[in-house]
Amino acid sequence: MAKLYFRFGAMNSGKSTSLLQAAYNYEERGQHVLLAKPAIDTKGAEQISSRLGMERTVDFLIAPDAELRVLFSEHRERLRADAADTLVPESDEHAVDVACLLIDEAQFLTREQVDDLLRIVVMDRIPVLAYGIRTDFQTQAFPGSRRLLELAHTLEELKTICRCGRKALFNARLVGGRFVFDGDQVAIDELSTDRVTYESMCAECYLTASGGRLG
């Protein structure tokens, strides 16, 4: 049975590394995968990059207004056609299909796009691995993450640590090296006139930096 997986964690918890490793594991066994990410994530353009130096170009970007199941179906058919062109005559072309859809930065998906992920799993019988962060710099859930927490068959937390050594839960935003706790939910460095960075923090360190503020 295909399942929808949501693998989440604070920033720098190895989400992109885990995604790229999952893709490699499928392909090592001769299976085909599709990789995608929301177009709103302009950092790295069409690349999925890990802190360990691994990098891969996505198969497609997901625009905010895109119907994700339709987009997936188009690329699924393209993969089938490309694979069929390389098959030897006695091969079964119907054996060539997508084994898994992998989504990076899934927190940026819309609610409707996450609903489409469940449809891909249940109606098209294709497993989906979605990777993302659960909450923003104000400890509020991203719409995509909230819907994934509601719909996913399986939830898996990827862990990382705070500067103090405790488990990191939250993502604090820094602008020009200073903590900020107001602003738009999405702020990507390339879109800002000031350098925007993030730090994974435990609850205690976050509350200390924010002066006790949450949200």
Side-chain angles (χ1 to χ4, degrees):
M1 173 183 166
K3 292 183 179 180
L4 172 58
Y5 297 83
F6 182 33
R7 296 176 175 171
F8 64 91
M11 299 192 71
N12 300 325
S13 58
K15 296 181 295 299
S16 295
T17 300
S18 179
L19 183 155
L20 293 172
Q21 181 65 56
Y24 176 83
N25 290 344
Y26 273 100
E27 292 174 336
E28 187 181 34
R29 290 160 177 78
Q31 297 178 307
H32 301 272
V33 298
L34 288 175
L35 277 65
K37 72 173 186 177
I40 192 173
D41 179 34
T42 57
K43 196 168 187 177
E46 298 183 4
Q47 302 295 313
I48 295 176
S49 302
S50 81
R51 292 184 300 137
L52 299 183
M54 294 185 292
E55 187 173 88
R56 177 164 170 169
T57 302
V58 298
D59 294 289
F60 61 94
L61 295 173
I62 306 164
D65 58 350
E67 294 185 35
L68 184 45
R69 189 177 178 215
V70 172
L71 190 59
F72 166 74
S73 296
E74 291 171 353
H75 286 273
R76 182 186 189 184
E77 289 307 314
R78 184 172 299 141
L79 183 149
R80 285 169 160 173
D82 291 345
D85 288 341
T86 64
L87 291 174
V88 294
E90 62 270 20
S91 297
D92 180 7
E93 66 178 67
H94 298 292
V96 177
D97 201 355
V98 177
C100 186
L101 171 63
L102 297 101
I103 307 287
D104 197 28
E105 305 292 355
Q107 71 273 7
F108 296 137
L109 296 176
T110 65
R111 177 186 177 91
E112 293 75 19
Q113 288 169 343
V114 175
D115 290 351
D116 264 352
L117 291 183
L118 186 63
R119 294 185 183 100
I120 289 168
V121 168
V122 176
M123 301 171 72
D124 300 327
R125 303 187 183 281
I126 302 296
V128 175
L129 305 181
Y131 295 77
I133 59 178
R134 185 176 51 177
T135 58
D136 63 18
F137 75 109
Q138 294 178 316
T139 71
Q140 303 295 313
F142 285 94
S145 300
R146 181 183 296 113
R147 193 60 173 155
L148 280 162
L149 290 168
E150 294 168 344
L151 295 184
H153 293 90
T154 300
L155 302 173
E156 300 178 14
E157 184 177 16
L158 304 176
K159 299 177 177 64
T160 190
I161 59 172
C162 175
R163 60 170 73 176
C164 69
R166 298 185 184 93
K167 174 186 169 182
L169 294 174
F170 304 127
N171 306 291
R173 178 183 291 173
L174 298 93
V175 178
R178 299 180 61 182
F179 287 110
V180 296
F181 298 92
D182 292 297
D184 295 335
Q185 186 174 56
V186 178
I188 299 171
D189 191 29
E190 279 79 354
L191 301 179
S192 175
T193 55
D194 295 309
R195 178 164 172 76
V196 178
T197 58
Y198 294 87
E199 181 178 342
S200 305
M201 305 183 85
C202 70
E204 183 172 338
C205 289
Y206 182 93
L207 288 170
T208 297
S210 68
R213 176 177 175 180
L214 285 170

